[in-house]
Amino acid sequence: AQSVTQLGSHVSVSEGALVLLRCNYSSSVPPYLFWYVQYPNQGLQLLLKYTSAATLVKGINGFEAEFKKSETSFHLTKPSAHMSDAAEYFCAVSGGFGNEKLTFGTGTRLTIIP
Amino acid sequence: EAEVAQSPRYKITEKSQAVAFWCDPISGHATLYWYRQILGQGPELLVQFQDESVVDDSQLPKDRFSAERLKGVDSTLKIQPAELGDSAMYLCASSLAGRGLADNEQFFGPGTRLTVL
């Protein structure tokens, strides 16, 4: 079974500041990990994914995440926040090939302060 | 760019009524998923199809919910009768999983927001 825990349901950062959204996972098999972004009343858009290749994953819109097996973490970062980054962010885990079901965290709402 | 289509985008109904949601996945995607997202929470899988077959419906409340994907392409999710607690966003997603690919990136539609009065 897989699960993810997102620390902090709400995060506020100033425009231009570092964004750090935390995600810890639990998995009985090597995990596939994902970060999705959701804007109000819209579906989810994939930001980036880890599928057992490079541990540092670069995604869209300047976001990146690092897979740390020793810490069972997959935190999302962006060096400089932009107003358009304000949204809900979800971390998700799956078991990969043959076990594609995504298990999502409860989400982190990111607010950007002008 | 190919997208997952869903309709309607918004649905308001009274409790005990029947509702239905439609999803058209990206062409060629074998796997289709229906998720329910309650306000303030992450999406939860209701049902997963591989072509026209149900792979996982363990979280689908089968006394009132049903889902079908008769020709292995588009899909319908039905609720009958609707209850107040069914108010949520219903998301459809599709992926290439099942075609011998390990990459199970799921592409999501815009969702249907259901309000039960």
Side-chain angles (χ1 to χ4, degrees), chain B residues 3-8 20-26 31-35 49 68-69 72-77 90-94 107-112:
Chain B
E3 296 180 342
V4 176
Q6 289 188 249
S7 67
F21 313 131
W22 176 80
C23 172
D24 191 13
I26 294 172
T31 306
L32 185 148
Y33 313 80
W34 283 102
Y35 290 87
F49 288 92
E68 61 183 16
R69 193 185 183 198
V73 181
D74 59 338
S75 175
T76 302
L77 178 69
Y90 290 83
L91 295 163
C92 179
S94 69
F107 296 82
F108 283 79
T112 296

Side-chain angles (χ1 to χ4, degrees), chain A residues 8-10 19 32 42 46 49 56 63-64 73 80 85 88-89 94 96 109:
Chain A
S9 58
H10 292 84
V19 175
Y32 283 31
Q42 294 188 26
L46 182 69
K49 60 184 178 183
L56 181 61
F63 285 93
E64 63 181 36
S73 69
S80 177
D85 294 328
E88 188 92 18
Y89 291 79
S94 78
R109 181 169 299 278

Side-chain angles (χ1 to χ4, degrees), chain B:
Chain B
E1 183 176 303
E3 296 180 342
V4 176
Q6 289 188 249
S7 67
R9 291 292 310 277
Y10 303 91
K11 179 69 177 179
I12 300 174
T13 191
E14 294 185 345
K15 64 180 181 179
S16 80
Q17 296 298 303
V19 292
F21 313 131
W22 176 80
C23 172
D24 191 13
I26 294 172
S27 178
H29 280 195
T31 306
L32 185 148
Y33 313 80
W34 283 102
Y35 290 87
R36 178 171 59 185
Q37 184 180 21
I38 295 171
L39 190 64
Q41 299 182 21
E44 290 185 300
L45 182 70
L46 289 175
V47 61
Q48 176 182 345
F49 288 92
Q50 176 73 45
D51 298 310
E52 66 277 7
S53 301
V54 172
V55 173
D56 184 351
D57 64 356
S58 57
Q59 300 303 309
L60 188 70
K62 298 181 187 64
D63 57 334
R64 298 185 301 108
F65 286 64
S66 64
E68 61 183 16
R69 193 185 183 198
L70 293 177
K71 297 183 179 179
V73 181
D74 59 338
S75 175
T76 302
L77 178 69
K78 297 179 181 178
I79 308 175
Q80 183 173 16
E83 295 181 352
L84 296 177
D86 296 331
S87 294
M89 175 80 89
Y90 290 83
L91 295 163
C92 179
S94 69
S95 79
L96 286 166
R99 292 286 186 256
L101 298 173
D103 185 343
N104 61 332
E105 177 179 344
Q106 296 184 22
F107 296 82
F108 283 79
T112 296
R113 180 165 295 284
L114 173 67
T115 302
V116 182
L117 303 175

Side-chain angles (χ1 to χ4, degrees), chain A residues 62-101:
Chain A
F63 285 93
E64 63 181 36
E66 186 172 7
F67 172 73
K68 292 186 177 180
K69 184 177 180 180
S70 60
E71 299 178 7
T72 61
S73 69
F74 191 59
H75 302 331
L76 181 71
T77 61
K78 182 175 180 178
S80 177
H82 191 272
M83 294 301 294
S84 61
D85 294 328
E88 188 92 18
Y89 291 79
F90 292 94
C91 182
V93 63
S94 78
F97 187 72
N99 185 11
E100 296 88 6
K101 170 185 172 180

